[in-house]
Structure formats: structure tokens, C-alpha cells
Amino acid sequence: MTPAPHPTVPARRPRGLSRRHFALALPAALLATGCAAPRQGTGRPGDPIVLTLLTHYASGALKRALQGPVDEWNAGHDRVKVRTMAVEFTDLLTTFMVRQAAGQSADIIHPYCLWNGQLVQAGVLRPAPPEHAEEIRRGYGAAAVGSASVGGRIYGYPTEVQTYALYYNKRLLREAGVDRPPRTWRELEETAHRTTRRDRYGNTLVQGFGLSTIDDATTVGQTLALLTAAGGTFVSADGRRTAIDSPAGRAVFDLEHRLVAQGASAPGVNVYKAFPSGQVAMVVNAGWWTANLKELMGAAYRDVGVAPLPLPAAHGKRATLSTGFMLGVDTASRHPREAWEFLRWLNARKVGVTSAGKGATATRMSLLQVSAGSMTGRADDMRTLLDEGGDPNLRPFLEALAYAVPEPNGPGAQAAKSLLRKNIEALWTGQQSVDAALRGTRRQVDQEVSRAW
């Protein structure tokens, strides 16, 4: 599960730097925390192979949840052991690149799927062997497989998969005389205006619809989710140009501009604080947030509802954005066969789930994610695990696995996402018109994704 809203992460190494100079240019503290090479065994009797797994599960429930199956594996396998290493999410991409340049790569890495094209281009990710690729195709939904693929080749086992939906505060809607969440964009605007409240000085007390410049997850994530719901895409199918300057893209930018201009949205508000406090009526976000809201809100979580994304018009075809992470094997691993076997054991082999009824099974990774309030791309596992006492607010995210579209993950994806965020924020803050924001995004992103890598 994403440990925090996705920030803008340092992308590829600067142009003109060799691999050696790139490593030397990074802070010594990062090299110390991310590149300490553990002892590697030879596989001889008494000297087991030690696989290193580098992840961002550095603290809290996710760290504990991952360590459980790792300990189980280590207890049952004498020849191959697994050792976890963790850095904060904000350091993860840079750490992958630094370790590769320094010749200290981990055997198994856990990237955000947005980076996969960049990691493949840099020679970090090893393609999945045919038998593992087939296992992944059979076991996961199309969005999860797409996120774990680059150029049609699969590079790892999807772990968490996040789909986007509409969070809403039932109490705030009820107090505004609204009896159900919006199903169309027109209803979304009407509900946003009806739930917005101000004091006598004009200060916003309740934001009807949460647009926030706090991070990528709310700025770019919800914009791309709405774009997908409108039938649009951020970049073209070949990944070489932006496609947001389209009727669908214009409709999304127009919608967001109206919400801000008419006072129903206040981009300066941090929705991660305001929504749990009852100061935001609706916001688009991913499923990982449910666990955070439960912890933050306590009994008040009963006011939280989740619904599918509203569509531009009634009876439209459902679609939403999906993001996710995967576990893959580094090209520099000395033990790829053993690494892939561990990943199969963790992500594909089923174990009994006694709490879900006789004969119920799920993978260890699905159990891990659900224990931390997240999901995998295995819809069969999720149905099994959520049927018995699961949070009903996860249901819309589970159903969205069937129609979600993965975010594009070409070599320039992270840089393109950062450029899109800058233009969205300029639109929301009145620095750019809709036309200027669309033109600027097209010009800047086209330059980024079309260049030779």
C-alpha cells in the first residue's frame, strides 16, 4: 500500500552524467542508507543464498505485514533466505538507480509501476521468465498486468493495485439535502455547490469538492481518474505524445476550473487533513486511503462513503485510473531463479484462509495487503477476503478492477506526470486559462516523452 500520497519523486539521472559520476553526485547519506551490501551466500551446505528485497515498506503495518511471510519462508527454506531492506517512498526510485550505478543492486525490488519504463530503459528490471509471465497473465486483472508490463513484456508480480473512486461525507450530503452520491458530473457540481459552506466573512468552512495541490495523488491522480472516466487518456498508445488536449481533457479542465472559480473547491486546502475533519464533502482518491481514514477518524468513519466515479453523462461506460506497485528481479541479481521462485511463492501460491470459510484460499500477498487496508489485482482473492467482515468502502475499488485503466508508464512517465501537475496547479490557482493549461501541457509533455531515451 502506498505509505503516503505519491509525491513528486526524483526521476532519471541528469543528462550527461556517467553511471559512476551519477552515483558520486548523490548524497553520501542516501548511499549509506540505500546501498549497504548484505553478505551474499554461495548456496553450499551451511552457507545459504541470501536474497535481498528492497522496498518502501519501511515502517508501520506494512513493514510488519511483509515481515510475516518473509519469516515464514525463511523458517521453511534452508538453502535460500530472504532479507528485507527498506527506504522511504520518496527515496525509492533514486535508491534503485544509485544501487545499480554503484554495483550494489538488491536481488528483488519493489517499484511504483509508473517508473517501470524508466527502470527498463536503465537496465534495472529483468523480464519475467515465460512461466512466471503466464502465471501473472492468468492470475491478475488487465489493469494490474498492464501496470507490470512495458512494451508488452511483463516484468514482475503486481503487489498492491489502487483504483480511484469518489469518497464522500454522508453527514455533509444529508445536511445539504442530498440523499445519494452524484452519478454524473452535473450532479457532482450541484452537490459540490450545495455542500459548500462559508462563514459571514466569506471564509470557506466546508469545501464541496476537494481539489488540492498537496501532492500527485490528489492533483494528478484525480484529474487522470476523471479523464479516464470521460474516455480520455493522458498519452497516446505509443507513449510518444500527450493526448490530454482533447475533448475529454478539455471537459475535465473545464469542470475543475468551474469548481474553483465558483468557490466550490479551494485548492489551497490540504484534503488529507480537511476531509477527516468534516471540512470537505467529496474528493476523488485511491483505495489505500480507507485504512488511513479509519485510523484518523475513529467513530466518525461511519460518515464516510465511497461510490464509483461520476461520469460526464448518465449511462456512460465506467472507467477509472489504476496505479500500483510490483515485485521484480534486478538484472544484476546473481540468483534470479531463486528470486523468481520466492516471488511465485509469495504472490501466486494460495494458502488457506480459515476466517473466510471452509476451503477458502488466497495468496500471501493478498492477505498481506488486506491486513493493511489495501488490495491486490487478484479479484478472486479480494472477493474471498472482503466477503467476511471486510470494509464495505473497499467494494467500489474492488469492482473497479474490472474496468480500471493503468496509468502510462513509459520511460518519461514520472517527468510527464510532474509537468502535468505544474499545469493543473497553474489552472487551479488562476495563473493559466483552460486553453493555456492544455497547450502548455501538450507542448511540455510532448517534448519529454517524444525524445530519444
Side-chain angles (χ1 to χ4, degrees), residues 66-89:
L66 176 60
Q67 197 59 47
V70 169
D71 289 345
E72 180 190 351
W73 167 275
N74 287 338
H77 295 78
D78 293 329
R79 182 175 171 269
V80 179
K81 304 293 185 182
V82 177
R83 178 181 300 166
T84 60
M85 305 165 61
V87 297
E88 295 298 329
F89 176 75

Side-chain angles (χ1 to χ4, degrees), residues 6 15 51 56 66 91 113 135 138 154 163 199 240 290 349 357 368 376 388 419 423 438 450:
H6 293 309
R15 297 186 189 106
L51 300 174
H56 60 291
L66 176 60
D91 295 327
C113 290
E135 182 117 52
R138 287 198 314 264
I154 295 174
T163 55
D199 64 18
R240 290 297 182 180
T290 58
R349 292 187 181 167
L368 185 165
T376 67
E388 186 67 28
L419 291 169
N423 283 281
L438 288 169
S450 64

Side-chain angles (χ1 to χ4, degrees), residues 3-4 38 89 101 113 171 226 235 254 287 303 383 397 430 436 438 443 450 453:
F89 176 75
C113 290
R171 176 181 58 81
L226 290 168
V235 296
D254 277 337
D303 290 331
R383 283 190 290 268
F397 300 106
L438 288 169
R443 183 181 67 253
S450 64
W453 282 82

Side-chain angles (χ1 to χ4, degrees), residues 196-207:
T196 298
R197 288 170 43 205
R198 297 180 182 80
D199 64 18
R200 58 179 178 160
Y201 303 106
N203 299 311
T204 300
L205 299 175
V206 174
Q207 186 180 176

